[in-house]
Amino acid sequence: MIRHRIRLLASASLAGALIAGAAHAQTNNVIEELVVTAEKREQSLQDVPVAISAFTSKSRDLVGINTIQDLTNFTPGFVYQSANDRASMRGIGRLTNVHSVDGAVSIYVDGLFTTSTVLAGGPPIETDRVEILRGPQGTLYGRNAIGGTVNVITARPTETPYAEVRAIAENYGVTNFQFAASGPLAEGLQVRVSGYKADQSKGYYTNIAKGMPSEGNVRDEYEIQFQAKAQLGENAEFWMKYMTLQWDNRGGPGARAGFLNGPYETGLTDPNYSIVYASAHGYSPETGLAGIVPGSLQQFNGVTATTNPALSDPRKFNTNYPQHVTLTDVHSFTANFTYHMPTFDIKYVGGLQNYRYDLRGDTDATSVKSYQIPLAPGSICGTIATLFTIGRSAVNCAPQTVNADNIYHYFEYPEWYSHEINLASTTDGPLQWIAGLYYYNEKYTGTGSTADFFLNGSSSLQTPILGAAANPEGIWSSGHYALTTESKAAFGQIDWQATEQLKFTLGLRYTKDRKFGTEFRRIVCNSDVCYTGLYPALGLSGFGPGTAANWGSLLGNLAALPAVGQALGLGNALAPLGGLGNGGMDLTATLAPTTTAAGAKGVTSPVVCTGAVCKQYTIDPATGVAARNLGDTSDALTGTFGVQWDPNEDTMVYGRYSRGYKAFGLSAGSFLVAPEAAPEFVNSYEIGFKTNFGRTLQLNAALYYLDYRDLQAPVTVRVGPTNVNQFVNIAKSRSSGLELDATWQPIQPLRLNVSYSYNDTSIREADKFVDVNDNVNTGAVSIVGNRLPQAPKNKVAVNGSYSFFMEPGTLTLSASYIYRDEAYANIFTKPWNEAPSWDQVDLRAHWAPKDNKYTIIAYVKNVGDTLGYDAAVVASNRNRSATVASDQFLNGGQNLELTPPRTYGIEFQYRFF
């Protein structure tokens, strides 16, 4: 099917070339020139020898590009995972939200680096244009732009008065009110203020639990910007922007965006978090010891269902704790200062930003409140219960009641600032140059590769046994860190116009990165996996296994052992065990890594050895939290070399080599034996052309080959009964492909835009790794030949529009078709990690009167209400039980993350000046 679509696109391009000469005669029919600042100076997009997609505010309104996902649809090779705010380009991107492992697509808003891709999706009323540069951009942009750069330029203050309001109403209870006002305050001083208030009352996903809210893109947020621009004499200019925003949402990054495409994992212990009993075991279809005590299942909010509702409707779910996203304390300040010297400009670009992001939700994805675990025949608990009923035991025993109310908290609290000073030539001579210095500093506190997990309410987790510190919040797994990142760089680039048609480019950048901080970890267990070895260790193997089926409600209650011994006729034989407590078992020290006397790379805490056992951490006796210091440095010399040939004024052909670098990464918050991953490097080879066939057809194309070294890939590893992400280096990979952007306007009313990319990726050399979601091949497997994550082979976006020019104004009708191939979430190219191929159709009507006083836009997105997948998601682990039929899975459970369903609405824009 995709090959047929590609042939159609190729035919359209060829037809455009054949009739371009005839269309050229229409003097009013001209494809407008777009000016960009991709190489930190103003140039026509057609003159920049880099693969770029650029979107102006006007074009976004006409086509319907309102979100980051829309931008990726119309950008070759670009993928964005909206639920986790992760961007990838040409198979190189961010595969984790752990800030100690940098992203690979850098985001700059008005020259200020930001860690959040979502800011690139700001409303068109506030954005002048978005420039997306594909391939390594480390020479001029740095900050780990190994995959590419997204450069956002906001709309600036105007020299004449301007004011505009926009109102959007959409299904799902969407309202969005936007405003902007700009103009001069005094001679040489202009200001601009803008903002929006966005709300959505109904989510894309419906909770089957009574009284629980819908989720997915539910929004309650606002944003405000203030800008000032000043002319300081004849030679100096100053511009600044302050922005703040706030979310109180069940939407945005981190919120519900997909579903589990399979049945619940109903085993007693879920392999994702086996240190607590699985909540979904309450839904087990098994009877007897493999199930639950009949009638013991209790659910929240009147829920009676016991199967995954998404299997019948992918937009339905069942939880008792709604996901909630808050973004507060957001402050962003950016400043530019330019001084014009006779032959060059001196420019300062700097700023600072901070925010507090909190995400809370339901860990177990069920409404199970509690259930009981059946007792085994002849269990010690059953014996004690019988003795209690006849008055021979001072303690009673009953089946273990499981508190199944599992919740999590994920948070990010970063603050960062950067400074850049550059000097750029301004003469018209054959030699153009730019040179600069850059400094970046970020302080970050947040959770690691997962989150902090809790049992909500009373549980044995709160009072760990064997003298461990109290755990009043009921945390069963926490891992977070505080880290400082510093990056320093010096860069320069020279463009030499050797002849009228031939230009050479040479750029170099030296970067040095440093990261240092502290990671924290605590693990407390209250399931069979931790007690099984405890009771034999206490000399109680004669009483049977340390499981809930044997000990029931006495499991973990070592304080009751003296009474148990007396009831069984042992006198005071068990009395010495009575002071060991009643609760969960702290596994922090048990699972903490040991090392050699030389210490682990990336760990800076002192090594303390006891005999042959060495460690690099301490445990706070008051809190039970383990801590160790992390830190290291890396540096690199990167750059670019390019040749540009202009055979005529309408055509530019280029060849370019670029070397990209991404700093080393740390698996912070996971307390791993080997926390550090080496830096990444890529050698990029690209040839391309940009041409105009007359005034009616513009065609830009690029062929590229990326030699990718030491990809920092997250791989789930088992540490005792816990799963954590280990960042490993994949020695060699490649990414190659073709990208095409075409605009054809054969007659003035008709316009066709085509974006297409073919991206072929492969892992060429790597160690073997265990795929914890493969329950058949459980050993380490080769990943050589697998595809790179988040790299669909084919992406197509076509937008066609026709304008009706009438006396009152212009009506433009447009339609977009979007197609994306399947992609995979990690280095294991397996069906359980796959996002299937998908397509959708959007329709739009745009009315603009001649005086441009107002605009009305009506639209329908995803007309067919098809399921689209904005990115691939890693599978959920499953059991392969040897004895329980309903708990025998050959592989992990597929998770699918969806694009929005059919949405429709109307937008009204009114301009006062």
Side-chain angles (χ1 to χ4, degrees):
M1 186 66 180
I2 183 60
R3 291 175 182 167
H4 175 62
R5 295 188 182 105
I6 295 169
R7 286 196 294 268
L8 288 176
L9 294 177
S11 299
S13 299
L14 178 60
L18 292 174
I19 69 172
H24 178 72
Q26 302 180 50
T27 57
N28 291 328
N29 181 36
V30 178
I31 297 174
E32 65 277 5
E33 181 185 47
L34 180 58
V35 175
V36 297
T37 53
E39 296 202 312
K40 299 200 173 183
R41 63 174 77 239
E42 290 189 351
Q43 296 171 279
S44 169
L45 183 144
Q46 295 302 97
D47 293 334
V48 182
V50 176
I52 307 173
S53 296
F55 305 90
T56 64
S57 174
K58 178 182 177 181
S59 66
R60 290 177 62 187
D61 277 345
L62 286 170
V63 177
I65 299 174
N66 306 113
T67 65
I68 293 288
Q69 194 56 251
D70 293 333
L71 287 171
T72 64
N73 289 339
F74 285 90
T75 302
F78 191 21
V79 174
Y80 177 68
Q81 186 177 9
S82 56
N84 291 314
D85 193 30
R86 301 176 188 168
S88 295
M89 210 170 291
R90 295 178 172 177
I92 300 177
R94 190 178 192 105
L95 304 177
T96 175
N97 280 55
V98 178
H99 274 232
S100 52
V101 178
D102 299 306
V105 177
S106 61
I107 314 298
Y108 286 85
V109 180
D110 296 314
L112 178 66
F113 174 83
T114 178
T115 59
S116 179
T117 310
V118 73
L119 293 178
I125 194 174
E126 292 189 325
T127 307
D128 181 71
R129 65 188 182 278
V130 179
E131 304 168 0
I132 302 175
L133 290 67
R134 306 189 291 277
Q137 305 297 324
T139 303
L140 294 179
Y141 286 93
R143 281 309 301 140
N144 305 306
I146 191 171
T149 294
V150 179
N151 192 21
V152 182
I153 298 91
T154 58
R156 298 303 169 94
T158 55
E159 295 181 354
T160 57
Y162 154 81
E164 181 178 358
V165 294
R166 299 185 180 187
I168 301 170
E170 196 174 282
N171 59 328
Y172 292 96
V174 172
T175 57
N176 192 332
F177 299 100
Q178 306 170 6
F179 75 94
S182 177
L185 285 185
E187 183 70 25
L189 176 64
Q190 301 95 41
V191 296
R192 177 184 169 95
V193 61
S194 62
Y196 68 83
K197 178 66 175 75
D199 295 277
Q200 179 170 323
S201 60
K202 182 180 179 182
Y204 299 149
Y205 300 86
T206 302
N207 197 336
I208 66 170
K210 296 177 182 177
M212 295 296 290
S214 60
E215 297 183 23
N217 213 50
V218 175
R219 304 168 67 190
D220 177 5
E221 58 189 66
Y222 71 84
E223 183 254 20
I224 297 174
Q225 284 187 19
F226 173 78
Q227 297 181 49
K229 179 181 178 182
Q231 186 73 37
L232 307 177
E234 294 185 359
N235 297 319
E237 299 165 2
F238 176 78
W239 170 87
M240 59 77 62
K241 181 185 74 174
Y242 170 77
M243 182 271 289
T244 185
L245 61 86
Q246 182 168 308
W247 296 354
D248 185 10
N249 290 354
R250 293 191 301 278
R256 186 173 304 278
F259 67 101
L260 171 66
N261 188 31
Y264 288 126
E265 164 58 83
T266 58
L268 181 61
T269 56
D270 187 322
N272 293 285
Y273 45 89
S274 58
I275 55 178
V276 292
Y277 295 110
S279 303
H281 183 62
Y283 294 152
S284 173
E286 304 291 340
T287 59
L289 294 180
I292 65 173
V293 173
S296 66
L297 173 64
Q298 300 292 316
Q299 298 204 65
F300 290 96
N301 305 308
V303 173
T304 58
T306 58
T307 58
N308 182 6
L311 294 179
S312 57
D313 184 342
R315 297 194 184 275
K316 286 189 176 180
F317 66 99
N318 172 24
T319 67
N320 63 280
Y321 193 98
Q323 286 180 262
H324 189 197
V325 175
T326 59
L327 186 66
T328 58
D329 295 336
V330 180
H331 303 284
S332 177
F333 176 80
T334 311
N336 294 175
F337 175 79
T338 304
Y339 191 86
H340 303 287
M341 300 294 286
T343 59
F344 62 91
D345 285 348
I346 304 173
K347 187 172 185 179
Y348 167 82
V349 181
L352 55 90
Q353 191 169 346
N354 63 271
Y355 65 80
R356 292 178 64 89
Y357 172 90
D358 290 275
L359 167 65
R360 291 176 171 82
D362 195 316
T363 302
D364 55 88
T366 74
S367 285
V368 177
K369 183 178 183 180
S370 64
Y371 60 85
Q372 290 184 320
I373 299 173
L375 295 174
S379 68
I380 187 67
C381 180
T383 301
I384 293 298
T386 300
L387 293 174
F388 179 81
T389 59
I390 61 176
R392 287 184 49 188
S393 174
V395 295
N396 196 5
C397 191
Q400 171 88 304
T401 298
V402 173
N403 174 1
D405 192 7
N406 251 306
I407 60 174
Y408 68 85
H409 177 210
Y410 174 90
F411 62 92
E412 297 179 358
Y413 304 150
E415 56 182 54
W416 68 92
Y417 62 88
S418 66
H419 305 288
E420 179 180 314
I421 296 177
N422 65 61
L423 286 73
S425 62
T426 56
T427 63
D428 295 328
L431 193 67
Q432 300 294 321
W433 53 268
I434 183 171
L437 298 172
Y438 179 80
Y439 177 78
Y440 174 83
N441 182 290
E442 178 188 34
K443 289 180 170 56
Y444 177 89
T445 301
T447 44
S449 60
T450 51
D452 288 346
F453 298 100
F454 310 78
L455 273 183
N456 196 22
S458 177
S459 76
S460 64
L461 290 169
Q462 296 169 315
T463 55
I465 58 176
L466 305 179
N471 182 28
E473 293 181 297
I475 296 174
W476 49 269
S477 176
S478 76
H480 52 277
Y481 61 97
L483 195 80
T484 297
T485 297
E486 287 184 338
S487 184
K488 304 173 184 178
F491 62 89
Q493 182 168 304
I494 297 173
D495 294 297
W496 177 42
Q497 191 76 46
T499 70
E500 188 175 333
Q501 296 178 319
L502 195 62
K503 184 168 75 172
F504 295 92
T505 297
L506 175 65
L508 290 174
R509 186 183 190 100
Y510 175 75
T511 305
K512 185 165 187 177
D513 292 292
R514 181 186 179 212
K515 300 176 183 179
F516 59 94
T518 306
E519 66 173 342
F520 307 91
R521 188 87 165 111
R522 191 179 192 192
I523 303 169
V524 184
C525 174
N526 77 333
S527 76
D528 286 3
V529 302
C530 52
Y531 295 116
T532 302
L534 173 64
Y535 284 84
L538 296 175
L540 302 177
S541 56
F543 291 97
T547 63
N550 184 42
W551 285 91
S553 60
L554 292 178
L555 187 68
N557 186 0
L558 304 185
L561 287 176
V564 170
Q566 290 178 347
L568 296 176
L570 300 178
N572 292 324
L574 303 184
L577 304 178
L580 299 182
N582 174 18
M585 188 171 179
D586 194 312
L587 299 182
T588 306
T590 303
L591 300 180
T594 58
T595 184
T596 65
K601 184 172 177 54
V603 181
T604 58
S605 294
V607 178
V608 178
C609 296
T610 304
V613 178
C614 300
K615 64 180 185 178
Q616 283 182 282
Y617 64 88
T618 59
I619 295 181
D620 187 333
T623 63
V625 175
R628 68 175 180 177
N629 295 328
L630 303 176
D632 210 341
T633 62
S634 65
D635 64 338
L637 183 66
T638 57
T640 187
F641 175 73
V643 179
Q644 178 178 334
W645 178 50
D646 298 303
N648 57 60
E649 63 179 9
D650 291 322
T651 302
M652 183 264 285
V653 181
Y654 68 91
R656 195 150 185 147
Y657 163 79
S658 297
R659 181 167 174 80
Y661 150 80
K662 189 174 91 169
F664 73 98
L666 295 168
S667 303
S670 297
F671 250 67
L672 293 172
V673 173
E676 182 173 332
E680 292 183 2
F681 292 91
V682 66
N683 294 303
S684 170
Y685 308 88
E686 182 174 319
I687 59 173
F689 70 87
K690 300 183 179 183
T691 186
N692 294 325
F693 294 95
R695 301 184 180 183
T696 60
L697 177 64
Q698 187 175 93
L699 182 62
N700 297 342
L703 285 168
Y704 62 88
Y705 180 89
L706 305 179
D707 176 17
Y708 193 14
R709 304 297 177 100
D710 288 326
L711 157 67
Q712 297 165 4
V715 174
T716 301
V717 295
R718 195 78 171 163
V719 179
T722 65
N723 285 345
V724 293
N725 274 347
Q726 168 82 61
F727 291 95
V728 300
N729 288 110
I730 307 302
K732 295 181 182 180
S733 307
R734 66 158 178 84
S735 174
S736 58
L738 164 69
E739 295 172 346
L740 172 70
D741 279 303
T743 300
W744 180 38
Q745 194 165 337
I747 56 176
Q748 189 176 3
L750 179 63
R751 187 182 182 97
L752 180 69
N753 295 308
V754 177
S755 166
Y756 169 72
S757 62
Y758 173 78
N759 187 201
D760 182 30
T761 66
S762 177
I763 295 172
R764 301 170 59 197
E765 183 181 318
D767 294 333
K768 292 184 177 181
F769 300 102
V770 175
D771 181 357
V772 295
N773 285 302
D774 190 338
N775 293 334
V776 176
N777 301 305
T778 56
V781 297
S782 173
I783 60 169
V784 173
N786 286 1
R787 287 161 57 175
L788 289 175
Q790 309 297 359
K793 276 194 174 181
N794 293 280
K795 281 182 71 220
V796 179
V798 181
N799 174 261
S801 64
Y802 194 91
S803 296
F804 297 88
F805 303 105
M806 297 173 280
E807 183 61 30
T810 301
L811 174 65
T812 301
L813 303 179
S814 72
S816 296
Y817 173 76
I818 297 155
Y819 172 86
R820 187 178 301 179
D821 250 340
E822 78 279 355
Y824 298 88
N826 58 22
I827 57 175
F828 300 105
T829 305
K830 296 293 184 179
W832 47 86
N833 296 319
E834 178 187 306
S837 60
W838 60 277
D839 63 358
Q840 75 176 49
V841 173
D842 301 338
L843 300 176
R844 197 167 183 86
H846 182 283
W847 167 254
K850 282 188 175 181
D851 61 4
N852 198 35
K853 196 72 173 177
Y854 68 91
T855 302
I856 300 175
I857 304 171
Y859 57 90
V860 183
K861 286 191 170 185
N862 192 8
V863 174
D865 201 20
T866 57
L867 296 182
Y869 311 95
D870 71 350
V873 184
V874 176
S876 297
N877 301 156
R878 300 296 191 119
N879 293 319
R880 191 183 184 190
S881 171
T883 58
V884 182
S886 65
D887 200 25
Q888 297 175 5
F889 296 96
L890 299 181
N891 50 257
Q894 184 185 35
N895 293 299
L896 296 176
E897 192 170 287
L898 301 180
T899 57
R902 181 192 298 118
T903 58
Y904 51 87
I906 189 166
E907 177 176 348
F908 178 73
Q909 305 174 1
Y910 186 82
R911 285 164 282 277
F912 296 91
F913 299 102

